[in-house]
Amino acid sequence: MTEVRPAAAASASLWERDAEVAAIERAVEALRADRSSSGHVHVLRGEAGLGKTTLLAETRRIAEARGCTVWSARGGETLRSVPFNVVRQLLQPALLSLLPEEAREYLGDWYDIAGPALGIAEPVAGHADPQGVCDGLVAAVSRLAARYYPLVLLVDDAHWADQETLRWLAAFTERLDHLSVLLVIARRPDVKGDAAGHLDAISAAAAHSVTSLSALTPDAVAGLTRDTLGAHADDPFCREVWAVTGGNPYETVELLAKVQESELDPSEPSATELRPLNRSARGGGLVARLEELGVDAHRFAMAAAILGTDISVDEAARLAVMSREDAARCAELLRSARILTAPDPAAMPSADGDLEFLHPLIASAIYESIPPSLRTAMHGIAAAVVTDAGKGLAAASRHLIQVHPEGDEELVEQLRGAAREHLAVGAPDAARLCLERALQEPPPPEVHARVLHELGSATHLTAPAKTIEHLRAALAMPGLDGGERVDAIFRLSQALLHNDQMAEAVRTVEAEVARQPPGPARMRLQAVQFMWEGVHAGETASPARSQRLASLAATCAGRDNAERALLILRGFDAMTHGENAEEVVEYCDRALVNGRLAPGLGWTDPEWGLELLMMLASSYAYTDRLDRAEALFNEALRAYETAGWSGGHLALAHAYLGLGHRRRGRLKDAEKSLRESLRLAERVGRGLPLYWSATCNLVDTLLARGHVDEAWQMAEQHGFAPPYPSTIVLPDPRSVRGRLLLAVGRTKDAVNELEEAEKAAAVRGHLNPVMVPWAVDLARALATEDPARAARLASDARRQAERFGTDTAIGEALRCAAALETGQRAVRLTAQAVAYLEASPCQYEHAAARVEHGIAARSVSELHRGLTLARSCGADGLVVKAQQALDGLGAPQVGLVPGQTRR
């Protein structure tokens, strides 16, 4: 049996909590012991009233006694729709204690991204990326942790925290291996809804440090009863206290307080009075007790429950429609009745209010007791109180969404304004709630479509399917005209693309093009249609389509962004079809202004999206203009990092930067970029086109490095196998998977995969032998089994390469032809391949050609050159191949790649 805590123990909620307190003490000591130690998360889980809050208070006492810095925050049942509410409570006091320049220094590049969410900086124009804001908040705590070490973070009632805070907490716990911070979270079990996933992730990170609290035993309740009422409390009375409260510490304390107030004798004859007394402390009994305090006190308590947190006497007085003096009197009455209390400045240093509820159970009971019609009306008044206090529409929005719908145009505009404020700080879920409520009002007919459009934009980053639904509804009604309608069509087609409905995206834009009269809007939509057709992997090649695009582009001089977009699309179309590379580059160059992206065509500009610029950079990458491609990829990376876009945009930027490194032959840099891309892509969601880009390029890079087993494991782990996405992926995933299958010895499967790549390329007209390199690998695979077909494939690849005209394409085709030959012909062909690839910017291919020429010519000097190049590229497999060839020629050892042995 657990030993009962002595009468001198602290709060009732610490009775029978010795093990829990000891675990907290160990965690605090571990934090203090080593500044470089890993962080730790500890979860306290229990039903209401079991003492979670008291354990957090004990954690604070223990930590502060040992010299730790402690920050704390608490969720609120009526505040879950207030974005960043809990994280602001947690971090604002420390940040506001710094000078503005100090805060900027600590947050660095994240200041403009996370600062608005924390309420310490004004938001910049446009929508903040929620993932970027989350990453910024993680970075903020990471940097502050070093200043305030040893740092303990306490979060109470996490089940009532807002979604933005929960997302941050889940992300932050993933970083604790690298941060010396103790995070203690209190939550209820069996949480439902959106909060459950984040809380479960936090509990999983805590692993064995999840404490499930239980009710007090009869012995503990007896000890607590005698400690409160006196040693003369008899056994039957104590047993009844336990039976009435179920051992719930909070209810036990409240019941014993009522016993003291009523001067009830703690003996068996009085035990029958305990149940009525207990009912008066909860639910309807609590409301009845409120009524006994008077109408004014009851009304003030309801106003406090509506405000929820940071309850100021002045604001509650306005809401309760009473004078300041009457409000102060009511506040004192409610404090005496153990309903309200003064905030603990140590626990909540950021609290602006004068009052808080003694326990969340009391706040919930009073809020739920307010008649629905009265509650709705009070929320309407509360919204005015909050806005009049200068806290803004975003702060008032939790009240605005509770107001009864009645066609109020002013309310619709307030909700739209609140949604804009939420989007500006990276809270699209909060914006969605505001706009959904605005639709219930409903908006005037001339505004309805715009609200739907704004709602679709708000859900664009988080719920493409919802975006599609809202934008289709907006476009089906009057109100969106001119540029607004074109923007909505473009946004809808983007959502369809991200929802893997590529064919529908094309049809949607095509139908709108037919509706538009000639002019800039029609030209923009034509460009969008060509853009989606250009990235649609299932689109059958049509010479007529390319001819139409060529005809349109021929009229374009790059006078505006629609013309520049058409030039980019023409260049990309020509590149994928393997047309002359110099002409491809000419189209792309004409789309630039003084060699740079035009205003309105930047990576973060919303009018065109990133797909168009990725097509531009890819066209340069596959035409051997890698300097221009890498400049664009690096510009994308800088733009997204500066803007705090940490989701799909940044994932694609890293993927394409990795593609640039891979083409250049910087394989280690490519692998690093692609692993980061894959990490970011997994946060957005598996199966999306950006996920395929990261995985395909990483597998391709690992194969180039010679890390075949790792490439295979990566493919298996991340589902790099058919079916393939409906958008094209660069390089061609079928070709890369075919090469992977060849590398692991599954030749028959590889041939089948490469033949599927051949069919898909024929359907799309993708004849660029570098972008879709199935032919050279299939020729090598068939060299023994079907040498005649292999020779034809190699010949066709060389013809396409010469038509395309880049050094890389021709050099790779020559390498393929040489692989099918022996003797002097192989020597001549590899020498020609070396000559072309030496002029190419693709150093890995150059290194491979050098090694192959050295093997064919039995040239030690050429093998040494190839070995040096292979090492500089990070091509470990090629290094081993060169060294083995040198061994065969009896050349001196020149060293092995670390960790590798000769075979």
Side-chain angles (χ1 to χ4, degrees), residues 220-434:
V221 171
L224 178 56
T225 301
R226 292 187 175 111
D227 185 57
T228 305
L229 303 179
H232 61 290
D234 64 21
D235 287 343
F237 186 90
C238 293
R239 282 197 300 272
E240 186 63 12
V241 171
W242 177 82
V244 166
T245 63
N248 184 290
Y250 167 72
E251 291 191 18
T252 302
V253 169
E254 288 301 302
L255 176 58
L256 294 177
K258 298 294 176 295
V259 170
Q260 286 182 310
E261 289 174 8
S262 62
E263 299 182 351
L264 194 68
D265 183 53
S267 60
E268 184 174 5
S270 304
T272 56
E273 302 295 325
L274 292 174
R275 290 189 185 276
L277 275 179
N278 189 55
R279 284 195 294 271
S280 71
R282 52 195 299 193
L286 175 63
V287 175
R289 187 154 59 93
L290 266 177
E291 291 172 349
E292 291 173 4
L293 295 176
V295 174
D296 285 352
H298 190 185
R299 194 164 76 245
F300 187 90
M302 290 192 293
I306 293 289
L307 292 172
T309 188
D310 291 347
I311 306 162
S312 80
V313 172
D314 288 336
E315 290 181 2
R318 282 197 59 194
L319 183 51
V321 194
M322 62 176 61
S323 68
R324 178 68 170 74
E325 293 75 14
D326 287 343
R329 177 179 54 79
C330 291
E332 187 56 39
L333 273 173
L334 293 165
R335 277 196 292 263
S336 300
R338 296 175 56 80
I339 291 171
L340 292 176
T341 187
D344 179 357
M348 293 291 176
S350 66
D352 296 326
D354 309 309
L355 302 164
E356 66 179 11
F357 282 96
L358 185 70
H359 196 278
L361 287 173
I362 297 175
S364 297
I366 294 173
Y367 184 81
E368 290 167 5
S369 74
I370 304 172
S373 58
L374 176 59
R375 188 163 60 212
T376 297
M378 292 183 75
H379 274 297
I381 300 170
V385 169
V386 170
T387 51
D388 289 349
K391 297 180 180 179
L393 289 172
S397 64
R398 75 179 184 89
H399 300 296
L400 293 172
I401 61 178
Q402 299 291 339
V403 175
H404 183 72
E406 53 185 23
D408 186 340
E409 294 184 25
E410 183 181 356
L411 179 61
V412 170
E413 292 308 306
Q414 287 178 314
L415 288 164
R416 292 175 73 190
R420 287 191 290 271
E421 291 184 21
H422 287 317
L423 289 170
V425 299
D429 289 333
R432 173 182 57 79
L433 288 175
C434 291

Side-chain angles (χ1 to χ4, degrees), residues 110 113 126-133 135 461 602-606 610 636-637 639-651 653 680 683:
W110 293 106
I113 297 163
H127 298 181
D129 173 38
Q131 186 61 60
V133 173
D135 289 346
L461 289 175
W603 290 100
T604 58
D605 290 318
L610 63 83
L637 193 64
Y640 295 142
E641 287 179 339
T642 301
W645 291 15
S646 297
H649 293 79
L650 191 61
L680 293 168
R683 299 196 310 188

Side-chain angles (χ1 to χ4, degrees), residues 488-703:
I489 289 288
F490 175 61
R491 183 76 72 181
L492 172 57
S493 68
Q494 268 190 321
L496 289 163
L497 169 72
H498 296 161
N499 207 44
D500 206 21
Q501 295 176 253
M502 193 68 250
E504 182 63 22
V506 172
R507 286 194 295 269
T508 296
V509 180
E510 185 177 26
E512 189 64 25
V513 167
R515 295 186 51 198
Q516 291 283 340
R522 180 185 174 89
M523 182 171 283
R524 180 188 173 195
L525 288 173
Q526 283 177 309
V528 171
Q529 180 183 342
F530 282 120
M531 180 164 65
W532 296 153
E533 289 175 345
V535 299
H536 185 194
E539 185 75 11
T540 302
S542 166
R545 173 192 172 277
S546 291
Q547 289 168 6
R548 289 198 311 275
L549 177 55
S551 297
L552 267 175
T555 67
C556 297
R559 290 178 288 262
D560 57 30
N561 284 343
E563 289 194 0
R564 296 182 188 108
L566 286 166
L567 288 168
I568 292 170
L569 292 164
R570 172 61 183 130
F572 183 78
D573 187 66
M575 184 274 292
T576 60
H577 291 161
E579 297 179 31
N580 182 269
E582 291 297 330
E583 293 181 9
V584 171
V585 172
E586 182 186 351
Y587 285 121
C588 293
D589 286 349
R590 284 166 56 196
L592 302 176
V593 177
N594 297 323
R596 298 186 60 81
L597 297 174
L601 265 184
W603 290 100
T604 58
D605 290 318
E607 186 177 358
W608 287 97
L610 63 83
E611 293 85 1
L612 183 70
L613 300 185
M614 290 298 182
M615 295 166 91
L616 171 66
S618 299
S619 297
Y620 282 130
Y622 284 104
T623 52
D624 281 2
R625 272 33 174 213
L626 284 172
D627 52 342
R628 303 181 197 182
E630 288 185 306
L632 286 166
F633 294 146
N634 279 300
E635 184 180 343
L637 193 64
R638 285 193 302 272
Y640 295 142
E641 287 179 339
T642 301
W645 291 15
S646 297
H649 293 79
L650 191 61
L652 275 174
H654 276 290
Y656 277 82
L657 183 61
L659 170 65
H661 286 316
R662 164 66 182 90
R663 300 292 305 142
R664 181 73 76 177
R666 295 191 289 257
L667 301 182
K668 291 181 180 179
D669 291 338
E671 183 179 343
K672 181 180 178 181
S673 291
L674 292 165
R675 287 190 183 278
E676 177 63 8
S677 174
L678 188 56
R679 183 187 73 83
L680 293 168
E682 286 204 279
R683 299 196 310 188
V684 179
R686 288 195 170 202
L688 299 174
L690 61 94
Y691 189 83
W692 277 92
S693 291
T695 307
C696 180
N697 276 283
L698 184 53
V699 169
D700 179 53
T701 298
L702 290 170
L703 287 173

